[in-house]
Amino acid sequence: MQTVHDRRLTAPKPLRKGALRITPLGGLGEIGRNMTVFEHAGRLLVVDCGVLFPEDHQPGVDVIIPDFASIKDRLHDIEAIVLTHGHEDHIGGVPYLLRDRPDIPVIGSELTLAFVSAKLTEHKIVPKTVRVEAGDTHTAGPFGLEFVAVNHSIPDGLAVAVRTSAGLVLVTGDFKMDQFPLDDRLTDLPHFARLGDEGVDLFLVDSTNAEVPGFTMSERDLAPAIDQVFATAPGRIIVSSFASHVHRIQQILDSAHAAGRKVGFVGRSMVRNMGIAKDLGYLKVPDGLLVEASALDKLPAGRVTLVCTGSQGEPMAALSRMANGDHQIRLAEGDTVLLASSLIPGNETAIYGVINKLTERGARVVHKGNAKVHVSGHASAGELTYCYRIVRPRNVMPYHGESKHLHANGALAVAAGVPDENVLVVRDGVSVDLERGKATIVGAVPADMVYVEGGVVGRATEETLRDRRMLRDGGVLTVLALVDPATNRLAEPLEFIARGALIDDQALEAANREVEKALAALPAGNRSEAADLDETVRRAVMRGLRRRTAREPVVVALVMDA
Amino acid sequence: MQTVHDRRLTAPKPLRKGALRITPLGGLGEIGRNMTVFEHAGRLLVVDCGVLFPEDHQPGVDVIIPDFASIKDRLHDIEAIVLTHGHEDHIGGVPYLLRDRPDIPVIGSELTLAFVSAKLTEHKIVPKTVRVEAGDTHTAGPFGLEFVAVNHSIPDGLAVAVRTSAGLVLVTGDFKMDQFPLDDRLTDLPHFARLGDEGVDLFLVDSTNAEVPGFTMSERDLAPAIDQVFATAPGRIIVSSFASHVHRIQQILDSAHAAGRKVGFVGRSMVRNMGIAKDLGYLKVPDGLLVEASALDKLPAGRVTLVCTGSQGEPMAALSRMANGDHQIRLAEGDTVLLASSLIPGNETAIYGVINKLTERGARVVHKGNAKVHVSGHASAGELTYCYRIVRPRNVMPYHGESKHLHANGALAVAAGVPDENVLVVRDGVSVDLERGKATIVGAVPADMVYVEGGVVGRATEETLRDRRMLRDGGVLTVLALVDPATNRLAEPLEFIARGALIDDQALEAANREVEKALAALPAGNRSEAADLDETVRRAVMRGLRRRTAREPVVVALVMDA
């Protein structure tokens, strides 16, 4: 495999005439913020532009978007943004790209465009959209596009084939190969095969489940476990799932209908998305099934179903608030909570916390840990192998995954007959040139984490997060030093205010001594600038605390003339 | 089931003569800090005294111990501490209990006592130990003890039967029912059955895996996958596991020996524990197999095995440091890393992060997600059912688990024939009295989280952690206000220092205005105390920032006379 490991790469040279450059700006090295830039004949094509949700070491951040630095001076070269499907990790970054050039055409399927348009409305952007469907072709400058139906955990997903004079690239988007999907819309393997017959020069393949052996179960296989919940629940049923998982919600509606229950949607994004899906016909709702959540109060518990957000333990979502007892819906003994959702790595503690609290309120909690109520939206190793055999690509670039997923997917490609040296396992920012059927790593562009907080892009930096991590572990110690400007001596002992920091008197005394020493060492009559003096005192305090506290606090020092 | 849910319970009345009171001080509501207090005839018996490792919402804390408040005035009533096995979550709290009364007898098996003694040595405590083995009986005041062999992920585990005139209580400790354990030491079900024949009045049962259907695989079933790693690894093999998992390490040694490799231990706790296990004969080491880690450098890569700590992604452990490239052992292409360990909930992000970094260094990583290299140390639902059928207890109190595990275990007991009303699902601090064969919830004592940080118990409080969580999410804003004492007006604009906080000028100006307003509202000539003035300014700043920042920072205010 062509790998980069921790090699430092320099900026790629300008693209050779006739060649195609592929640069992922997100989604290679993380599950999220998917974005891939294609360059050919001086023009650019963007495929997906999503967000990544922060991890523990990125506190306070709302979302992370791809780094647009390498294209920010070339926004007018962008022919279009192609969106493969409507999930946040594929569309969530679009508003931040369109901010700077709102008239970039956005190409996608009906539901995808409906979801991204609703999102853009919140950002007061009216996008220029181009609706396509599976089987369509479309030309965007030098890029010939062809769309292929794929099956995923949201309806109306598309893979996209990008044709240029440099060759044919097939991009799967997120996909699985459910052979019995609820909407009977299969991943179009005959279409993949035809593209393979034509000759796929480079294949970008979803790696999310490449480490998972075997095959992903069908969405339809969940029906028995879901029906079982509806058949046995003595009281209300509260279902939590992703607000975009139309198929899963469909199953819930069907089961609720069969069980003679009514359904109410709870939570802004759930209400909005299901409204869109229903209006467009992706969600089929039997007459009279849906009622306003507020009207459910008047029904006997055994006829009530609530469908809400919060399946990932998000603290402000409906489910967490029910678990904490601060939602208008009060849980009670006899209620059943069904978490018909995945457990995204990193959310375990939050989700288990919610499950425990629900249990303590007397609710029975059914979740993927104790019942078959979730299947993944991604192809596992088994399906991926078939995919490689059907497409027979010349070159493969696993995408959408952390390093371990990308490597696992690369190994699958090799096992399925792709020559080892034609499999490129790279990371965000690495540019790959396709020329005469050969894909080569040619350099790398910046692909930093770009943090969005309170709607502001990039104000939170790595330094902000480093400070927050230190504050989290060790708290803060504020120090006020009153210095006699004549003598450079402390006029009185330092004043300390600690928040979240555990510092005993001994350490504070040592800090005091160090500050006195540092001040005494300053050249008399030659006092440095105020800011430097703050820094001198801050460093002296830190020296004093060293090895006298279990955790190093952030020290903030203020110096005043006495 | 008798449950407490979120009921408020008051302190139990003094124990009736002849009755037995059981009060769990830890382990019911969390996986860790296991401790159960038995009271009878005015005397106490403690079973286990462990630590709990902190979660994300408890930043900076080293470990959490049980709350000794309810027994701190009765330390001299304690007849003994019984330790069921040598894991941290069962022995880690012992030093903090013995600090206040070092001569409490500590009863346990040979390996358990060796592990706890090594730990106590670090705390400069020489315990008074009583060594027992499976089948032994021992009398501790009014408590008759009988020990039963149980199988777990550390050797030499014991269940304990506690006999008093109030009845017979059987406490499983952590256990599983591996029918082919490496050391051939089975959980002694015939002994459980004999106790059942006698009549077990109350059964305290490990709930960790009560939600897991079916049966836990045998430790021996891992051999093929481990052997496969040793058969195919082209270079060095680095194995990471728990430093106490003697059986797992035994498998690694056996496989390494068969493959003609040498083994070096890396990491303080790994070296220490394996030394103890070897000296006592629990770890069987073929002659010449072990070498100093430093000597492995001289061997060809294909003959090297390193066994190290860090399987949970702990940032300071050997494996994380190798992943980050700041360990003397530098990983390279061709190395294989084997994580022969569990994935404790809450550690996923850290572990996956380490796996990704190892992958990026070119190492192949084998872990429980892609190979059968780990089995749990706890009995699953299947085994627990057998256990209930064999013991036939009158009353059951699931222990060792979060709420969801305790409820699941309670449901298993009911399914296995224990009368519903005789199953008590309680939480830490809840006292249960056993009298004439009947177990009843009688109240609750304090069972707060007690935080240990830098060896100091209880200095970190809930307030400390609340501050740290706020600091983590929103950073800190330090404000210096120079106030003219004559006029109560700001002598100059506020001085601000922000760390980890994102605050724009508009918000700072609003803060300034609010402070001016607050100062102007103070009664003239009647200035409050300095500390109150700090608080007045702090609150005014917070009012100014409100709704003008994405995250509320911690505000520290200092007021000085101008």
Side-chain angles (χ1 to χ4, degrees):
Chain A
M1 292 193 277
Q2 290 185 46
T3 56
V4 291
H5 290 324
D6 46 2
R7 258 203 289 157
R8 274 182 201 286
L9 297 171
T10 53
K13 296 207 180 99
L15 183 60
R16 286 231 288 257
K17 199 158 177 287
L20 173 71
R21 177 163 295 167
I22 299 99
T23 309
L25 292 182
L28 278 79
E30 64 263 324
I31 305 238
R33 67 162 194 165
N34 296 291
M35 178 170 180
T36 309
V37 178
F38 291 77
E39 179 181 1
H40 181 65
R43 306 297 290 167
L44 304 177
L45 177 79
V46 172
V47 177
D48 290 325
C49 184
V51 295
L52 169 69
F53 294 98
E55 295 187 351
D56 295 343
H57 65 281
Q58 296 154 328
V61 169
D62 295 324
V63 293
I64 303 168
I65 59 174
D67 188 346
F68 303 145
S70 61
I71 56 167
K72 75 170 192 302
D73 296 332
R74 298 190 61 188
L75 293 184
H76 285 275
D77 292 339
I78 301 177
E79 293 287 349
I81 304 172
V82 174
L83 300 177
T84 57
H85 63 284
H87 275 152
E88 281 300 303
D89 56 336
H90 289 255
I91 68 168
V94 173
Y96 303 99
L97 189 55
L98 290 195
R99 260 187 198 187
D100 294 325
R101 195 194 139 198
D103 65 343
I104 305 175
V106 178
I107 303 175
S109 65
E110 181 182 46
L111 187 68
T112 305
L113 291 181
F115 278 7
V116 78
S117 297
K119 166 174 294 297
L120 286 165
T121 301
E122 291 173 7
H123 288 260
K124 302 191 174 55
I125 298 173
V126 180
K128 197 170 133 184
T129 59
V130 180
R131 185 173 137 194
V132 293
E133 53 188 65
D136 283 357
T137 56
H138 181 84
T139 305
F143 305 98
L145 308 176
E146 181 173 330
F147 298 93
V148 186
V150 293
N151 170 257
H152 183 41
S153 46
I154 186 170
D156 227 11
L158 293 170
V160 57
V162 181
R163 269 194 197 82
T164 65
S165 63
L168 174 58
V169 182
L170 178 57
V171 183
T172 63
D174 284 358
F175 81 114
K176 60 177 169 177
M177 285 157 55
D178 191 340
Q179 294 302 296
F180 302 97
L182 289 190
D183 59 2
D184 292 326
R185 187 172 176 276
L186 297 158
T187 290
D188 191 347
L189 296 179
H191 198 161
F192 273 19
R194 286 194 299 275
L195 293 167
D197 290 344
E198 178 186 340
V200 170
D201 295 292
L202 179 62
F203 194 21
L204 270 64
V205 186
D206 177 9
S207 307
T208 313
N209 272 0
E211 281 198 314
V212 179
F215 293 80
T216 304
M217 277 198 336
S218 172
E219 179 71 28
R220 224 176 269 270
D221 293 337
L222 304 184
I226 293 174
D227 283 343
Q228 170 76 0
V229 169
F230 278 84
T232 58
R236 294 180 297 184
I237 298 176
I238 295 99
V239 181
S240 188
S241 189
F242 286 111
S244 60
H245 205 324
V246 180
H247 295 149
R248 191 69 44 82
I249 309 294
Q250 184 71 60
Q251 299 224 57
I252 302 298
L253 298 193
D254 295 347
S255 292
H257 188 58
R261 287 181 183 251
K262 301 285 181 184
V263 175
F265 290 120
V266 180
R268 199 174 59 95
S269 56
M270 184 62 80
V271 171
R272 186 191 68 186
N273 288 357
M274 289 307 127
I276 293 172
K278 180 169 168 282
D279 291 347
L280 297 177
Y282 293 92
L283 188 72
K284 320 264 185 240
V285 185
D287 282 343
L289 179 71
L290 289 186
V291 297
E292 292 292 316
S294 53
L296 289 169
D297 281 352
K298 296 173 193 89
L299 293 171
R303 297 201 56 209
V304 171
T305 314
L306 286 155
V307 176
C308 67
T309 51
S311 65
Q312 297 305 305
E314 306 92 326
M316 299 313 292
L319 192 68
S320 289
R321 286 161 48 216
M322 288 180 208
N324 288 325
D326 52 12
H327 192 281
Q328 65 205 50
I329 295 159
R330 318 291 298 186
L331 292 184
E333 196 104 20
D335 286 340
T336 302
V337 175
L338 169 58
L339 289 167
S341 53
S342 68
L343 200 172
I344 294 177
N347 297 345
E348 293 84 355
T349 319
I351 298 174
Y352 296 153
V354 169
I355 293 175
N356 282 319
K357 284 183 197 157
L358 294 168
T359 307
E360 286 161 22
R361 290 190 180 276
R364 178 175 159 240
V365 187
V366 180
H367 54 91
K368 65 172 274 198
N370 60 18
K372 285 256 173 254
V373 292
H374 176 70
V375 293
S376 170
H378 300 270
S380 299
E383 283 105 348
L384 292 172
T385 305
Y386 274 89
C387 220
Y388 288 121
R389 298 292 194 188
I390 289 168
V391 174
R392 299 146 286 159
R394 283 207 184 88
N395 300 281
V396 168
M397 184 168 129
Y399 87 148
H400 294 188
E402 301 168 10
S403 309
K404 60 184 184 139
H405 306 116
L406 303 177
H407 276 83
N409 200 6
L412 288 176
V414 173
V418 181
D420 188 271
E421 64 277 16
N422 294 3
V423 175
L424 294 86
V425 177
V426 302
R427 60 170 180 254
D428 289 344
V430 173
S431 291
V432 169
D433 282 2
L434 180 68
E435 208 175 358
R436 285 182 229 99
K438 201 168 152 44
T440 318
I441 294 168
V442 294
V445 301
D448 292 335
M449 293 285 160
V450 174
Y451 302 110
V452 180
E453 189 170 322
V456 183
V457 175
R459 197 192 295 159
T461 62
E462 293 301 341
E463 197 195 341
T464 316
L465 302 190
R466 201 163 47 237
D467 277 351
R468 287 178 184 170
R469 289 192 298 265
M470 270 194 76
L471 288 164
R472 169 194 69 191
D473 293 334
V476 62
L477 181 70
T478 301
V479 180
L480 179 65
L482 273 181
V483 177
D484 180 339
T487 61
N488 268 355
R489 290 293 181 81
L490 282 179
E492 51 185 75
L494 296 172
E495 186 176 335
F496 295 103
I497 302 181
R499 291 288 296 270
L502 302 184
I503 303 168
D504 62 16
D505 290 344
Q506 234 185 335
L508 295 181
E509 281 159 25
N512 222 64
R513 281 196 305 275
E514 288 292 338
V515 171
E516 278 170 347
K517 234 174 5 183
L519 290 174
L522 289 178
N526 182 12
R527 251 179 67 173
S528 26
E529 288 299 303
D532 290 345
L533 202 60
D534 286 353
E535 186 57 18
T536 302
V537 169
R538 198 180 69 81
R539 286 172 183 277
V541 169
M542 287 177 65
R543 276 198 300 281
L545 301 184
R546 202 157 294 155
R547 280 184 293 277
R548 290 188 181 92
T549 56
R551 304 269 174 279
E552 209 171 298
V554 167
V555 175
V556 175
L558 285 160
V559 179
M560 294 282 302
D561 282 349
Chain B
M1 294 193 274
Q2 290 186 45
T3 56
V4 291
H5 291 321
D6 45 1
R7 259 203 288 157
R8 275 182 199 287
L9 296 170
T10 52
K13 297 204 181 98
L15 183 61
R16 288 229 289 254
K17 199 158 179 285
L20 174 71
R21 175 165 295 168
I22 299 100
T23 309
L25 293 182
L28 278 79
E30 65 263 324
I31 304 237
R33 69 160 192 166
N34 297 292
M35 177 172 183
T36 310
V37 178
F38 292 76
E39 178 180 2
H40 181 65
R43 306 296 292 167
L44 303 177
L45 176 79
V46 172
V47 177
D48 290 324
C49 185
V51 294
L52 170 67
F53 294 98
E55 294 186 353
D56 296 341
H57 65 280
Q58 296 154 327
V61 168
D62 296 323
V63 291
I64 304 167
I65 58 173
D67 187 347
F68 302 147
S70 63
I71 56 167
K72 74 171 193 304
D73 296 331
R74 299 190 60 188
L75 294 183
H76 285 275
D77 293 338
I78 301 176
E79 292 288 350
I81 304 172
V82 174
L83 300 177
T84 58
H85 64 283
H87 275 154
E88 281 301 302
D89 56 335
H90 289 255
I91 69 169
V94 172
Y96 304 98
L97 189 56
L98 290 194
R99 259 185 199 186
D100 294 324
R101 196 194 137 197
D103 65 342
I104 305 176
V106 178
I107 303 175
S109 66
E110 182 183 45
L111 187 68
T112 305
L113 290 180
F115 278 6
V116 77
S117 296
K119 168 174 292 297
L120 286 164
T121 302
E122 292 174 8
H123 287 260
K124 302 192 172 55
I125 299 173
V126 180
K128 198 171 132 183
T129 57
V130 180
R131 184 172 137 195
V132 292
E133 54 187 65
D136 283 357
T137 56
H138 180 84
T139 303
F143 305 98
L145 307 176
E146 182 172 328
F147 298 94
V148 185
V150 292
N151 170 257
H152 184 40
S153 47
I154 187 172
D156 226 12
L158 293 170
V160 56
V162 181
R163 267 195 200 82
T164 64
S165 64
L168 173 58
V169 181
L170 178 57
V171 182
T172 63
D174 284 356
F175 81 114
K176 61 177 170 176
M177 284 157 56
D178 191 340
Q179 294 304 295
F180 302 98
L182 290 189
D183 60 0
D184 293 327
R185 186 173 176 276
L186 297 159
T187 291
D188 191 347
L189 295 179
H191 197 160
F192 273 20
R194 285 195 298 278
L195 292 167
D197 290 344
E198 178 185 341
V200 170
D201 295 293
L202 179 63
F203 193 21
L204 271 62
V205 185
D206 177 8
S207 308
T208 312
N209 273 1
E211 281 199 314
V212 179
F215 293 79
T216 304
M217 277 198 336
S218 172
E219 180 71 29
R220 222 176 270 269
D221 294 336
L222 304 184
I226 293 174
D227 283 343
Q228 170 77 0
V229 169
F230 278 84
T232 58
R236 295 179 297 183
I237 298 176
I238 295 100
V239 182
S240 186
S241 190
F242 285 109
S244 60
H245 204 324
V246 180
H247 294 149
R248 190 69 44 82
I249 308 293
Q250 183 71 59
Q251 299 225 59
I252 302 298
L253 298 192
D254 294 347
S255 293
H257 187 57
R261 288 180 183 251
K262 301 284 182 186
V263 176
F265 290 120
V266 179
R268 198 176 58 96
S269 56
M270 185 63 80
V271 170
R272 184 192 71 186
N273 286 359
M274 290 307 126
I276 291 172
K278 179 169 170 281
D279 292 347
L280 297 178
Y282 293 91
L283 188 72
K284 320 262 184 245
V285 184
D287 282 344
L289 179 70
L290 289 186
V291 298
E292 292 293 317
S294 54
L296 289 170
D297 281 350
K298 297 175 193 87
L299 292 172
R303 295 200 59 209
V304 171
T305 314
L306 286 155
V307 176
C308 68
T309 51
S311 65
Q312 296 306 303
E314 307 91 326
M316 301 312 294
L319 192 67
S320 289
R321 283 161 50 218
M322 289 180 207
N324 288 326
D326 52 10
H327 193 280
Q328 66 205 52
I329 295 160
R330 317 291 299 186
L331 291 185
E333 196 104 18
D335 286 340
T336 302
V337 175
L338 170 58
L339 289 168
S341 53
S342 68
L343 199 173
I344 294 178
N347 297 344
E348 292 85 355
T349 319
I351 297 173
Y352 296 152
V354 168
I355 293 175
N356 282 319
K357 285 183 195 156
L358 294 167
T359 307
E360 285 160 25
R361 288 190 182 279
R364 176 173 162 245
V365 185
V366 181
H367 55 92
K368 63 172 276 198
N370 59 20
K372 284 257 172 253
V373 293
H374 175 71
V375 292
S376 171
H378 300 269
S380 299
E383 284 105 347
L384 291 172
T385 305
Y386 275 91
C387 220
Y388 288 121
R389 298 292 195 189
I390 289 168
V391 174
R392 298 146 286 159
R394 280 204 188 90
N395 300 281
V396 167
M397 185 167 126
Y399 85 147
H400 294 189
E402 301 167 10
S403 307
K404 58 181 184 142
H405 306 116
L406 303 177
H407 276 83
N409 200 5
L412 289 176
V414 173
V418 181
D420 188 270
E421 64 276 16
N422 292 4
V423 175
L424 293 86
V425 177
V426 301
R427 58 169 183 253
D428 290 343
V430 173
S431 291
V432 169
D433 283 3
L434 180 67
E435 206 176 357
R436 285 181 229 100
K438 203 173 152 39
T440 317
I441 295 167
V442 295
V445 302
D448 291 334
M449 293 284 159
V450 174
Y451 302 111
V452 180
E453 188 170 321
V456 182
V457 175
R459 198 195 291 160
T461 62
E462 294 301 340
E463 197 195 339
T464 316
L465 302 190
R466 202 163 46 237
D467 278 350
R468 288 178 183 170
R469 288 192 298 264
M470 269 193 77
L471 289 163
R472 168 193 72 190
D473 293 334
V476 63
L477 179 72
T478 302
V479 181
L480 178 65
L482 273 182
V483 177
D484 180 339
T487 62
N488 268 357
R489 289 294 181 80
L490 283 179
E492 50 186 75
L494 296 172
E495 187 175 333
F496 295 103
I497 301 180
R499 290 289 297 269
L502 302 183
I503 302 170
D504 63 16
D505 289 344
Q506 229 185 342
L508 295 181
E509 280 158 28
N512 222 63
R513 280 197 304 277
E514 287 291 339
V515 170
E516 278 171 348
K517 234 179 353 184
L519 290 174
L522 289 177
N526 181 12
R527 255 183 61 176
S528 26
E529 288 298 304
D532 290 346
L533 202 58
D534 286 352
E535 185 59 14
T536 302
V537 169
R538 198 179 70 78
R539 284 172 185 275
V541 169
M542 288 176 65
R543 275 197 303 278
L545 301 183
R546 201 156 296 153
R547 280 184 295 274
R548 290 189 180 89
T549 56
R551 304 267 177 281
E552 210 170 299
V554 167
V555 175
V556 175
L558 284 161
V559 178
M560 294 282 301
D561 281 349

